[in-house]
Amino acid sequence: MDAPTTTSADNGTSGGGGGWFTPRKNPTTAPDSDAGTAGRSAEGRRPAAIRPVGKPGPAPEAPADDAPAPPEGASTGTPDQGREAPESIPRSAPPAAQHAPSPAVSRLATTTSPGPVPTALTPTPFASTVAPPPTVAAEEHVPAQRPAPVPSAEEATSAPAEAGSPDAVLIRRAMAEVAPVSDKVTSYFYALLFVRHPDLRSLFPAAMDTQRDRLLRALLTAAEHIDNKDVLVGYLQNLGRGHRKYGTRAEHYPAVGECLIGALSKYAAGVWNPEMEAAWVRAYTTISQVMIDAAAADELRAPAWWYAEIVTHDMRTPDVAVVTVRPDQPYPFLAGQYTSLETPWWPRIWRHYSFASAPRSDGLLSFHVKAVPAGWVSNAMVHRARPGDIIRLGPPAGSMTVDHTTDSGLLCVGGGTGIAPIKALVEDVAEHGERRSVEVFYGARTDHDLYDIHTMLRLQQTHPWLSVRAIIDQQAHQQLPDAVRAYGPWNEFDAYLSGPPGMIRSGVNALRDSGIPSDRIRHDSVEELVAAG
């Protein structure tokens, strides 16, 4: 997610805030894009007006403290089905009891962008808020090849607590205050959002049990790293592009920011003050403007999503299927990346799956899907989907791509269905005609789980620079990362890991111990892929 630093937003440090989302320069029209489409995009990306934090607006009044929570399945939705019920939202307090709004908060004029034209292949099972615009054929949209990952939670906490700009210090102080009650903060945030802005409820899935943490966690992660522009900008640009598939528009961002600060001010009341509120306003202004700009630029060259028809469905084990689809428009991506996928049976529920091959000349895309307990999307894809069914794909994303400017060896570690992007990386190296050493470790609990070992062994027979080792936990009596470390050292290799989150965490530690620097260990964000069912 490495990308040039934008100058369209405030830098997020104290003393330079321009209020909520003061938009600067809009993206210029792509050379080959339609002038009318570009005009709609530029005008339609100006954020909506936002009322200052703490001041009630014309939205429906929130329930009183003693009012019962909305019933399950109510039109406004329950923010945390299956978890602790959210606290009731208090009515707006008298002006004297409220926080004074930050001087940085301002109001902006609003314009609305007309919806783009639907594509030809639009199956009826999907209900969506917007339809994807036609792709500009002359401009392929492929993310930067070596995006930098957002630092992990462990790396973030290892830094000095008070290091950074004044705004970063205030932001981290608030986050430390709310950390013990993060579930309550999340519930309160969504309750505020859906009560004050019920029109936004339709952008979220009917059941919020897996979605509830994602939006708030992404915002908090971005705010915590507000000083790390090199990493943050790429992360936010990818996030802004990805949110187009939900139907997110520029005018939705003020509502989210208002409710974010409303939830933080309630649960960080012990340390909250006007200076802290102003710091969060500036941080969220920066975050939202980068996302808005990225989405607007992406709209000029790519659809918000692609429809894709399932052409083959190959059951490899009772719970693993290899699914191949044909998108309705060209789908440019890089080997090692992943996409988000939605089925017609569970609208607005998206899950991440890696591409199981390098880009193909016929344009087909393949995924390895394992049905997991309570995995709505994965079970539908494995046990319900059939050739002819239509699914939706979000834009490509991911940092686990090959750097073809070096000749370093590749150490590829794949566990379970994590072998899918590893296979794609091997194909990518082969297509570039390189003779660099590639060492693949294919891990599984039992030999039954090595469902794609024959494919990998055929690749090994074809390419002398490729070595494939199968590591079976029950036979080797050791975990995959330990087996990889035993075959080291690997200090001359670039490492790639794909598999369950626990394997990635332990694998990163094992590879560091083997002498591979952290900046040469690539994997997709563990936090992003935790709920991959």
Side-chain angles (χ1 to χ4, degrees), residues 24 32 67 125 140 151 153 172 179 233 316 359 385 410 435 443 447 454 506:
R24 313 288 205 301
D32 298 319
E140 284 194 345
R172 290 170 188 150
V233 170
R316 296 291 182 87
L410 271 64
R435 291 295 179 265
D447 55 359
H454 297 298
S506 59

Side-chain angles (χ1 to χ4, degrees), residues 29-49:
T29 304
D32 298 319
S33 63
D34 178 73
T37 303
R40 289 196 303 271
S41 175
E43 289 301 318
R45 289 292 168 183
R46 296 190 179 278

Side-chain angles (χ1 to χ4, degrees), residues 10 46 94 120 169 239 248 263 303 351-352 370 379 416 418 461 509:
D10 181 47
R46 296 190 179 278
V169 171
L239 205 61
T248 305
R351 294 292 181 269
H352 295 125
K370 180 176 182 177
N379 278 281
Q461 292 173 353
N509 293 332

Side-chain angles (χ1 to χ4, degrees), residues 54 92-100:
S92 299
Q98 296 174 348
H99 293 297

Side-chain angles (χ1 to χ4, degrees), residues 26-408:
N26 284 296
T28 56
T29 304
D32 298 319
S33 63
D34 178 73
T37 303
R40 289 196 303 271
S41 175
E43 289 301 318
R45 289 292 168 183
R46 296 190 179 278
I50 180 169
R51 66 179 180 272
V53 176
K55 287 192 176 182
E61 196 173 67
D65 283 335
D66 56 352
E72 227 174 90
S75 60
T76 56
T78 305
D80 62 342
Q81 291 180 7
R83 293 202 182 188
E84 177 185 355
E87 293 189 11
S88 299
I89 308 172
R91 295 180 185 272
S92 299
Q98 296 174 348
H99 293 297
S102 165
V105 177
S106 61
R107 303 179 65 87
L108 302 175
T110 179
T111 57
T112 304
S113 171
V117 180
T119 57
L121 179 60
T122 308
T124 54
F126 291 101
S128 179
T129 53
V130 304
T135 304
V136 178
E139 246 189 294
E140 284 194 345
H141 171 56
V142 180
Q145 190 178 34
R146 293 191 65 184
V150 173
S152 65
E154 294 177 0
E155 291 170 340
T157 54
S158 64
E162 295 297 308
S165 67
D167 276 11
V169 171
L170 290 169
I171 286 169
R172 290 170 188 150
R173 195 174 298 164
M175 293 183 66
E177 184 78 5
V178 302
V181 290
S182 58
D183 274 358
K184 292 184 178 180
V185 175
T186 302
S187 297
Y188 192 79
F189 164 76
Y190 279 112
L192 278 177
L193 187 65
F194 295 154
V195 169
R196 291 182 178 178
H197 307 279
D199 54 307
L200 298 185
R201 184 62 182 90
S202 62
L203 301 183
F204 295 84
M208 293 287 291
D209 51 349
T210 55
Q211 172 65 35
R212 67 189 299 274
D213 296 332
R214 292 183 179 179
L215 173 60
L216 187 62
R217 182 172 57 190
L219 294 174
L220 295 179
T221 297
E224 186 173 11
H225 298 287
I226 196 67
D227 284 350
N228 192 350
K229 295 298 184 298
D230 291 340
V231 167
L232 183 62
V233 170
Y235 172 73
L236 291 174
Q237 288 177 332
N238 185 63
L239 205 61
R241 288 188 292 262
H243 272 64
R244 290 182 59 213
K245 67 180 178 287
Y246 301 120
T248 305
R249 299 190 303 272
E251 56 266 30
H252 296 151
Y253 284 84
V256 173
E258 167 199 318
C259 297
L260 169 67
I261 292 182
L264 290 171
S265 64
K266 174 179 174 65
Y267 286 99
V271 296
W272 196 262
N273 56 39
E275 290 74 22
M276 183 173 287
E277 180 172 297
W280 276 96
V281 167
R282 286 187 289 268
Y284 187 75
T285 299
T286 298
I287 291 168
S288 60
Q289 189 66 58
V290 173
M291 293 177 65
I292 289 169
D293 287 353
D298 194 59
E299 189 173 358
L300 299 177
R301 65 190 72 177
W305 60 73
W306 287 253
Y307 289 110
E309 178 184 359
I310 297 176
V311 294
T312 65
H313 188 282
D314 179 17
M315 293 292 297
R316 296 291 182 87
T317 75
D319 58 357
V320 173
V322 175
V323 182
T324 302
V325 304
R326 179 187 294 111
D328 65 328
Q329 300 184 56
Y331 190 104
F333 70 99
L334 298 174
Q337 290 189 306
Y338 62 90
T339 186
S340 49
L341 183 155
E342 180 202 45
T343 72
W345 304 287
W346 299 107
R348 298 187 300 280
I349 297 180
W350 298 77
R351 294 292 181 269
H352 295 125
Y353 292 99
S354 295
F355 299 104
S357 66
R360 296 167 45 162
S361 59
D362 59 9
L364 298 181
L365 311 172
S366 293
F367 306 98
H368 294 186
V369 184
K370 180 176 182 177
V372 299
W376 296 358
V377 174
S378 64
N379 278 281
M381 288 295 292
V382 172
H383 299 302
R384 188 168 182 175
R386 293 294 179 267
D389 289 334
I390 304 295
I391 62 174
R392 286 203 299 176
L393 305 176
S399 61
M400 207 177 70
T401 56
V402 177
D403 180 5
H404 293 288
T405 65
T406 74
D407 57 0
S408 301

